[in-house]
Amino acid sequence: MSERFKYREDREAYSAARVRALEALLIKKGIITDRTVDTVLEFFETKMGPFNGAKIVARAWVDPAFKERLVADTPKAIAELDLPDGMAGAEGEHMRAVANAPGVHNLIICTLCSCYPWPVLGLPPYWYKDPTFRSRAAREPRAVLAEFGLPISEDVEVKVWDSSAQIRWFVVPERPAGTEGLSETELEALVTPEAMMGVAVANAA
């Protein structure tokens, strides 16, 4: 991650302490139970997360017709796959996919806050919500991508897609070279959340 978006070392501990205090207060007031937070976390660890996005991308890599349908009508194409119920809910409303190509690289941001397609990417990282990232990625995406270790050639068009409550974007990265002999399941392992955000490319085999 770019040093520009680095946080203080105790940020996780500080945030965790605040969360525990808030959780204790809500339990005391009877608003939630001691299992509520764990249930939500388990949901995003086992049912909704980047593993779903990896399945979608891998299918797009091996099935060009599916890829076309995915870009044309993302929710309808996703519904074709054997994925958990709820892909269109819990921050998955109105998802749209865009596909990288040899002359085009796509980057996903949210200039308003942190709108993000949780069912396919999981929970957003800290830096995605950072005002510096949100503003600079919109103004100078090439510079920001270079800071992430992803320099983009000048002959490649960079498209920036701004997510919102009305539409949540994710990227279908290009399939890595030399993966022609891999199975769909093996291809899934090459897909990262960062690649589906556009700040990285898919891992090499």
Side-chain angles (χ1 to χ4, degrees):
M1 187 177 69
S2 169
E3 288 296 313
R4 190 176 295 273
F5 309 118
K6 187 176 181 180
Y7 292 95
R8 47 189 282 184
E9 292 183 0
D10 65 346
R11 180 186 176 98
E12 291 287 347
Y14 176 71
S15 297
R18 294 182 67 186
V19 168
R20 286 194 297 270
L22 178 60
E23 181 182 9
L25 179 62
L26 293 174
I27 291 173
K28 182 177 180 180
K29 290 181 174 293
I31 298 173
I32 64 174
T33 71
D34 58 357
R35 279 288 304 155
T36 301
V37 173
D38 289 338
T39 300
V40 172
L41 291 176
E42 181 181 0
F43 179 73
F44 283 104
E45 288 174 352
T46 62
K47 295 185 181 300
M48 297 292 146
F51 36 83
N52 293 325
K55 291 179 183 294
I56 295 166
V57 169
R59 176 61 58 86
W61 284 348
V62 302
D63 186 343
F66 173 79
K67 183 178 179 179
E68 290 184 8
R69 296 194 299 275
L70 180 65
V71 172
D73 189 337
T74 303
K76 186 176 181 180
I78 289 176
E80 298 177 21
L81 305 181
D82 184 20
L83 295 173
D85 293 335
M87 289 297 293
E91 301 298 318
E93 305 91 339
H94 316 299
M95 288 192 294
R96 288 289 304 276
V98 288
N100 285 349
V104 178
H105 183 86
N106 296 285
L107 173 65
I108 305 307
I109 64 172
C110 175
T111 55
L112 180 63
C113 52
S114 59
C115 295
Y116 197 71
W118 293 4
V120 296
L121 293 184
L123 300 178
Y126 281 136
W127 55 260
Y128 182 79
K129 311 172 192 178
D130 189 287
T132 301
F133 171 77
R134 286 157 41 197
S135 60
R136 289 191 61 235
R139 295 195 315 270
E140 47 181 356
R142 290 179 187 276
V144 170
L145 289 172
E147 291 169 9
F148 273 88
L150 185 64
I152 303 296
S153 172
E154 288 297 329
D155 61 352
V156 174
E157 180 183 8
V158 176
K159 294 184 176 181
V160 180
W161 303 89
D162 192 2
S163 290
S164 68
Q166 285 71 44
I167 186 166
R168 292 175 170 85
W169 299 95
F170 68 94
V171 175
V172 178
E174 289 189 87
R175 180 173 177 169
T179 60
E180 293 77 11
L182 298 185
S183 68
E184 192 170 331
T185 300
E186 291 171 325
L187 288 172
E188 291 174 16
L190 306 182
V191 185
T192 65
E194 292 78 12
M196 291 184 285
M197 298 171 70
V199 297
V201 294
N203 291 330

